[in-house]
Amino acid sequence: MIETDGGGGGGGEGSGLEMTPETMRRLGYRVVDALVERWSGLREDRAWSGGSRAELEPLLREDPPASGRDAEEVIERALDEVLSRAGRIDHPRFFAFIPSSPTWPSVLADFLAAGFNVFQGTWLESAGPSQVELVVLEWFRRWLDLPEAAGGLLTSGGSAANLVALVAARERAEGSGRPAVYLSDEGHTSLERAARIAGVETEGIRTVGTDARFRLEPGSLDEKLRADRASGWRPLAVCASAGATNTGAVDPLCEVARVCRDHGVWFHVDAAYGGFAVLTDRGRSALEGIGLADSVTLDPHKWLFQPYEAGCVLLRDPRGLDEAFRVLPEYLQDTELGLQEVNFANRGVQLSRSFRALKIWMSVQTFGLSAFREAVGRGIDLALTAEERIRSSASLELLSPASLGIVCFRYRPRGEDRDEDSLEELNVRVQARINEDGFAMMSSTRLAGRYSLRLCILNYRSRRDDVLATLERVEAVGAELAGG
Amino acid sequence: MIETDGGGGGGGEGSGLEMTPETMRRLGYRVVDALVERWSGLREDRAWSGGSRAELEPLLREDPPASGRDAEEVIERALDEVLSRAGRIDHPRFFAFIPSSPTWPSVLADFLAAGFNVFQGTWLESAGPSQVELVVLEWFRRWLDLPEAAGGLLTSGGSAANLVALVAARERAEGSGRPAVYLSDEGHTSLERAARIAGVETEGIRTVGTDARFRLEPGSLDEKLRADRASGWRPLAVCASAGATNTGAVDPLCEVARVCRDHGVWFHVDAAYGGFAVLTDRGRSALEGIGLADSVTLDPHKWLFQPYEAGCVLLRDPRGLDEAFRVLPEYLQDTELGLQEVNFANRGVQLSRSFRALKIWMSVQTFGLSAFREAVGRGIDLALTAEERIRSSASLELLSPASLGIVCFRYRPRGEDRDEDSLEELNVRVQARINEDGFAMMSSTRLAGRYSLRLCILNYRSRRDDVLATLERVEAVGAELAGG
């Protein structure tokens, strides 16, 4: 069923994995059409779709077929049976977790990177792509106000970026004692996991208290570092959030930087989704001090509108990466070129790496930076719009104000005196109903013990109407379920 | 210059990052055409191309433009200035390092995964894709003869897979003492790096000797484990190679498994490129015992013909992954579904993950498993062809015989008595000339101290002629340079 090229000019040696240019083109166009159709209909589509394993296994579990199947049918099956059964993270009303809404040139860039199969591990194997990665990293460095010598690499995401930063910090940490890292109780779990991977015991993950706005308290940090040093801990790094996942809270970066300097401890900022807020004036002011960090994590696949996967870590002194990660086995001896020719495989966890910089480069070139600024600003605006709407509602209660793109709230029936358990039970049902309807997708969290609904608005497609209609739906569904 | 949709029906709220369906389709077709053109002309193109940073920086270093540029021009620039300046890892005569030659349905799958922007971290957000990842992992499990309960996850590549395995092993290791991991002097450096990341000191990376065929000596391993335990080391894992990068050597897996069992140490097999040899009878017999492993690393982006990135780690007891990596912050509380619904983010380093399983699934469905078997077998055949050709040549010296897809050799002028330094200097020049010509790409390594040229033949496009012509070229260039 597959039209192979029968070996072309090579004497009948054609492989069964080849296709004719005509077939390739036809299948390629089919995929383009399918994606354009999906994107054009996204707003009218459900924000979420899924299925249990019991439903999906009979449909999809099978041995690999011995002989091939029609390539177009395989594509249709992927579309109908697999890709349709997933959350639409880029839907304009997908407000759950941390959404991601890539641009079309970014998606085409991922297609190009796969089609050229770039090996972005060494300069020898990918000179042009490595240069583009340097260019993109330089953009980020300047956006964050890091010193000129700063540098880093793109990663699979924030988790790998946090891991790279913590390992580099560990290698630089002086003294002896049991290793410890510091983060607020709102810090991202990927930091905790990275610390565990890097050999920090559970007890060495030291939690620092937050204030009423969920921001790390520099005073508590200072005390904890002092006490811990005295009792034999070896602080590897302090991890501040520039955009906590729960609430969007930004830790007081300047003050945390000062405490770190006083104690001679590595200052890491996890700005995975929040970092790109620096493209706007409001975000820049909220993230003041980020340029003082020893390392910063960014996730272009979050608020820079790139498809999965694209994370980034930047270090004030990137030599720390080489010290921690450099490898040069004999089978890579050819890849040692000049000092200027960066081998990105020496800077992190991965040796084989795909060309992640291309999507950032192509999308910023195509739309221009001002369109990105405007799109990030839109998220900040819409979160404020949601906050206002919640404040003015008789049946919605604000649990944490808009910060960057996030607002937390709950449904609370007017004039009723419900206890916390009853409110939680009601809000769980409200959330489930809205998600199952498919109109919008929200996630929940827990703030100071209280079950909270949470909107995270980072999508360039989201409009005022999307936000307002979703809140209206919460009120309506809440009233219906509370009355029942 | 960008045709945005002007807000569609949404009251002038259109974002500057949107494009009309017509523009999307036109750009998509353009990229399809460019890739089809590249693939059709690959054999006639250079196998390698590059450039120094001094050459590339003036071309590519620039601030991000404030306003947008013509999208098609950006694509052309990516093609002309960036993607053209890289090694063609999938060229039929790219025999350097570990080549990677994806199939077209795999590339389309990466395009689909980016265009649907699948978040493959939790079942809630990607039910269908998670089910497909389970299906693909089950295929691999059976190919490797691992027990039914075995499982794992797809990763960014072998480096991350090795890291995940070593961290899981570390968490299971009993006793106290300084942690140590064991590998042969032919083991992959990513294992060394993974061990360092996981907190093993340099001295704790214990090297075991190899035999004349570069295979780990089980007797030496046994002695070393015994001696190390006695002197206070805590062995975390033994790492065997099933396809060493230098020579293709496969460690004696059954015997290593026995030593590990005797000592109660975790048995890891790094089968990154070599593992898929089990699809052929010869490979299956060479890799006998791989199913005894506690963990196995595979790289579908190597010998399973997938584009970067696709790695995999399988554990005999996958609960070890949950124990080592599971996270459940409050902002993910909604993602806890049934026990059957796997959240892959709990199994490794990454929380955000792209849909890597789709390319494996689509390409195997399209071509059928027998085409993959045949393509892997072709690499084994062609390496034997190269070995024969080298043995029968008066001016080529075999330095290590064909194993899986790899052969090592050097140019050695007939009837001359050159010392090692002179041979090295000559072979460095031969290699440089051939790579610069662009006809083929070879890399070098060092075997028992001797500088060696190395062919790694894993590409489904490579033919007998490609291999023979490359060796002929080595003879011709060698004769020319030796005579000069």
Side-chain angles (χ1 to χ4, degrees):
Chain A
M1 262 175 282
I2 308 306
E3 309 145 41
T4 61
D5 74 356
E13 263 198 286
S15 151
L17 300 180
E18 292 184 56
M19 282 178 164
T20 65
E22 295 67 38
T23 305
M24 288 175 63
R25 186 173 283 113
R26 195 183 69 242
L27 298 174
Y29 286 5
R30 174 67 195 107
V31 170
V32 170
D33 291 346
L35 289 176
V36 172
E37 193 185 340
R38 174 189 185 275
W39 283 42
S40 311
L42 195 53
R43 177 174 296 281
E44 285 67 47
D45 201 352
R46 298 169 53 85
W48 177 81
S49 168
S52 68
R53 184 160 169 185
E55 289 161 347
L56 294 175
E57 199 140 301
L59 210 59
L60 293 167
R61 181 154 178 163
E62 64 183 323
D63 291 337
S67 20
R69 292 172 176 170
D70 182 82
E72 247 156 314
E73 280 171 27
V74 173
I75 292 172
E76 299 311 321
R77 194 171 166 213
L79 292 168
D80 295 345
E81 296 185 9
V82 182
L83 291 160
S84 63
R85 291 187 165 86
R88 288 157 187 72
I89 311 291
D90 52 349
H91 189 287
R93 290 183 301 278
F94 188 99
F95 299 126
F97 311 111
I98 303 283
S100 165
S101 51
T103 71
W104 185 243
S106 313
V107 170
L108 294 180
D110 265 4
F111 184 25
L112 281 167
F116 275 77
N117 202 32
V118 174
F119 175 93
Q120 175 77 322
T122 62
W123 192 279
L124 177 72
E125 287 172 89
S126 60
S130 297
Q131 180 64 51
V132 167
E133 184 158 346
L134 287 173
V135 168
V136 165
L137 291 169
E138 173 65 10
W139 294 351
F140 293 174
R141 180 194 73 73
R142 289 172 64 174
W143 297 351
L144 296 177
D145 270 336
L146 283 163
E148 215 165 302
L153 81 164
L154 298 180
T155 66
S156 56
S159 296
N162 283 335
L163 175 62
V164 167
L166 286 188
V167 171
R170 184 192 69 193
E171 299 299 297
R172 282 283 172 96
E174 287 170 2
S176 60
R178 295 159 72 192
V181 300
Y182 297 79
L183 63 163
S184 90
D185 42 28
E186 295 290 314
H188 197 265
T189 15
S190 66
L191 288 161
E192 203 180 313
R193 176 152 70 184
R196 276 159 55 195
I197 293 171
V200 176
E201 306 156 71
T202 311
E203 218 197 315
I205 294 157
R206 313 293 283 169
T207 309
V208 183
T210 45
D211 64 19
R213 299 283 297 269
F214 306 101
R215 295 171 303 197
L216 186 148
E217 285 187 322
S220 309
L221 174 66
D222 183 57
E223 277 167 40
K224 198 153 195 137
L225 282 168
R226 205 177 305 276
D228 279 5
R229 271 256 165 78
S231 57
W233 289 99
R234 178 165 54 106
L236 304 182
V238 169
C239 306
S241 299
T245 305
N246 264 338
T247 61
V250 179
D251 292 334
L253 304 180
C254 293
E255 291 166 69
V256 176
R258 196 169 315 122
V259 175
C260 289
R261 203 170 49 236
D262 290 350
H263 289 269
V265 177
W266 185 286
F267 174 37
H268 176 65
V269 178
D270 179 357
Y273 90 86
F276 295 106
V278 297
L279 290 174
T280 67
D281 288 340
R282 283 170 296 177
R284 200 168 188 76
S285 130
L287 270 61
E288 203 195 328
I290 195 167
L292 301 170
D294 290 302
S295 54
V296 180
T297 285
L298 290 174
D299 255 349
H301 63 209
K302 296 191 169 109
W303 222 356
L304 200 67
F305 313 107
Q306 305 301 325
Y308 299 111
E309 301 170 345
C312 175
V313 62
L314 287 168
L315 264 74
R316 174 169 292 271
D317 179 1
R319 288 172 304 179
L321 295 175
D322 262 28
E323 287 161 21
F325 296 104
R326 190 161 191 280
V327 293
L328 185 63
E330 284 147 351
Y331 45 82
L332 291 179
Q333 62 189 7
D334 303 332
T335 67
E336 279 292 276
L337 306 174
L339 274 177
Q340 290 303 306
E341 280 71 31
V342 176
N343 287 335
F344 280 102
N346 280 336
R347 292 192 167 182
V349 177
Q350 296 182 232
L351 173 54
S352 297
R353 300 170 75 240
S354 66
F355 184 16
R356 299 196 165 94
L358 185 64
K359 49 191 163 191
I360 300 164
W361 187 83
M362 275 180 56
S363 54
V364 171
Q365 296 275 352
T366 303
F367 296 109
L369 194 54
S370 43
F372 281 85
R373 275 189 217 289
E374 188 265 333
V376 172
R378 169 188 292 231
I380 297 176
D381 284 339
L382 290 179
L384 287 167
T385 300
E387 179 186 331
E388 280 166 30
R389 176 69 181 71
I390 292 162
R391 283 189 191 276
S392 68
S393 163
S395 56
L396 300 179
E397 180 187 11
L398 189 73
L399 294 182
S400 98
S403 183
L404 303 180
I406 298 179
V407 187
C408 294
F409 66 103
R410 61 179 170 183
Y411 180 80
R412 182 169 202 154
R414 176 201 324 232
E416 284 185 35
D417 194 23
R418 297 210 178 204
D419 64 16
E420 286 295 324
D421 286 350
S422 156
L423 280 173
E424 172 162 346
E425 187 259 354
L426 177 56
N427 277 277
V428 165
R429 287 167 62 213
V430 169
Q431 185 202 359
R433 168 77 72 83
I434 284 177
N435 292 351
E436 278 158 22
D437 278 357
F439 177 75
M441 175 89 181
M442 297 184 300
S443 55
S444 74
T445 190
R446 203 167 281 281
L447 294 178
R450 294 186 295 189
Y451 187 89
S452 167
L453 302 176
R454 177 178 164 285
L455 296 182
C456 181
I457 313 168
L458 308 184
N459 188 329
Y460 66 82
R461 291 185 187 91
S462 302
R463 301 174 187 160
R464 197 175 154 82
D465 279 354
D466 293 312
V467 173
L468 297 179
T470 301
L471 291 170
E472 213 165 284
R473 186 75 63 117
V474 172
E475 289 173 331
V477 170
E480 183 196 328
L481 294 176
Chain B
M1 261 175 280
I2 309 304
E3 309 145 40
T4 62
D5 74 354
E13 262 198 287
S15 150
L17 300 180
E18 291 184 58
M19 282 178 165
T20 64
E22 294 68 36
T23 305
M24 289 174 63
R25 186 171 284 113
R26 195 182 69 242
L27 298 174
Y29 286 5
R30 173 67 194 107
V31 170
V32 170
D33 290 346
L35 289 176
V36 172
E37 192 185 342
R38 173 189 184 275
W39 283 41
S40 311
L42 195 53
R43 178 174 294 281
E44 283 68 47
D45 201 353
R46 298 167 53 84
W48 178 82
S49 167
S52 69
R53 184 159 171 187
E55 289 161 347
L56 294 175
E57 198 140 300
L59 212 58
L60 293 167
R61 181 152 178 163
E62 63 184 324
D63 292 338
S67 21
R69 293 173 177 170
D70 181 82
E72 246 156 313
E73 279 170 28
V74 173
I75 293 172
E76 299 310 322
R77 193 170 166 214
L79 292 168
D80 295 345
E81 296 185 8
V82 181
L83 291 160
S84 62
R85 290 186 166 85
R88 288 158 187 73
I89 311 290
D90 52 349
H91 188 286
R93 289 182 302 277
F94 188 99
F95 299 126
F97 312 112
I98 303 283
S100 165
S101 51
T103 72
W104 185 242
S106 313
V107 170
L108 294 180
D110 265 4
F111 184 25
L112 280 167
F116 276 77
N117 202 30
V118 174
F119 175 92
Q120 175 77 323
T122 63
W123 193 280
L124 177 72
E125 286 171 89
S126 60
S130 297
Q131 181 62 52
V132 167
E133 185 158 347
L134 287 173
V135 168
V136 165
L137 292 169
E138 174 64 10
W139 294 351
F140 293 173
R141 180 195 74 72
R142 290 172 65 173
W143 297 351
L144 296 177
D145 270 337
L146 283 162
E148 216 164 301
L153 82 162
L154 298 181
T155 65
S156 56
S159 296
N162 283 334
L163 175 62
V164 166
L166 286 188
V167 170
R170 186 192 68 193
E171 300 299 299
R172 281 284 172 96
E174 287 171 2
S176 59
R178 295 159 73 192
V181 299
Y182 297 78
L183 63 161
S184 90
D185 42 29
E186 294 291 314
H188 197 264
T189 14
S190 67
L191 288 161
E192 202 181 315
R193 176 153 71 186
R196 276 158 56 195
I197 293 172
V200 176
E201 304 157 72
T202 310
E203 220 196 313
I205 296 159
R206 314 292 282 169
T207 309
V208 183
T210 46
D211 64 19
R213 298 282 299 269
F214 306 101
R215 295 172 304 198
L216 186 146
E217 285 187 321
S220 308
L221 174 66
D222 183 56
E223 278 167 39
K224 196 153 197 139
L225 281 167
R226 204 177 306 275
D228 279 5
R229 270 257 164 78
S231 57
W233 289 100
R234 178 165 53 107
L236 304 183
V238 169
C239 306
S241 299
T245 304
N246 264 338
T247 61
V250 179
D251 292 335
L253 303 179
C254 293
E255 291 166 68
V256 175
R258 195 169 317 122
V259 175
C260 289
R261 203 171 48 236
D262 290 350
H263 289 269
V265 177
W266 185 284
F267 174 36
H268 174 66
V269 178
D270 180 357
Y273 89 87
F276 295 105
V278 297
L279 290 174
T280 67
D281 289 339
R282 283 170 296 177
R284 199 168 189 77
S285 130
L287 270 60
E288 203 195 326
I290 195 167
L292 301 169
D294 291 301
S295 54
V296 180
T297 286
L298 291 174
D299 254 350
H301 62 210
K302 294 191 170 110
W303 222 356
L304 201 67
F305 313 107
Q306 305 301 325
Y308 299 113
E309 302 169 345
C312 175
V313 63
L314 286 169
L315 265 74
R316 175 168 292 271
D317 178 1
R319 288 172 304 178
L321 294 175
D322 262 28
E323 288 161 20
F325 296 104
R326 191 162 190 279
V327 292
L328 186 62
E330 285 147 350
Y331 45 81
L332 291 180
Q333 63 189 5
D334 303 332
T335 66
E336 279 293 275
L337 308 174
L339 274 178
Q340 289 303 306
E341 279 71 32
V342 177
N343 287 334
F344 280 101
N346 281 336
R347 293 192 166 182
V349 177
Q350 295 184 232
L351 174 53
S352 299
R353 299 170 76 240
S354 66
F355 184 16
R356 298 196 165 94
L358 185 63
K359 49 191 164 190
I360 300 165
W361 188 83
M362 276 181 55
S363 54
V364 171
Q365 296 275 351
T366 302
F367 295 109
L369 194 54
S370 43
F372 281 84
R373 276 189 217 288
E374 188 265 334
V376 172
R378 168 187 294 231
I380 298 176
D381 284 338
L382 290 180
L384 287 167
T385 300
E387 179 187 331
E388 280 166 31
R389 177 67 180 74
I390 292 162
R391 283 189 192 275
S392 68
S393 164
S395 57
L396 299 178
E397 181 188 10
L398 188 73
L399 295 181
S400 97
S403 182
L404 304 179
I406 298 179
V407 187
C408 294
F409 67 104
R410 62 180 170 183
Y411 181 78
R412 181 169 202 154
R414 176 200 325 229
E416 284 184 36
D417 194 24
R418 297 209 179 206
D419 64 15
E420 287 295 324
D421 286 349
S422 157
L423 281 172
E424 172 162 348
E425 187 259 354
L426 177 58
N427 277 277
V428 166
R429 287 167 62 213
V430 169
Q431 185 202 0
R433 168 78 73 82
I434 284 177
N435 292 351
E436 278 158 23
D437 277 358
F439 176 75
M441 175 89 180
M442 297 184 300
S443 55
S444 75
T445 190
R446 203 166 280 281
L447 294 178
R450 294 187 295 190
Y451 186 90
S452 168
L453 302 176
R454 177 178 164 284
L455 297 181
C456 181
I457 312 169
L458 308 183
N459 190 327
Y460 65 82
R461 292 186 186 90
S462 302
R463 300 173 188 161
R464 199 176 154 82
D465 279 355
D466 293 312
V467 173
L468 298 180
T470 300
L471 291 170
E472 213 165 286
R473 186 75 62 116
V474 171
E475 289 173 328
V477 170
E480 183 196 328
L481 294 175

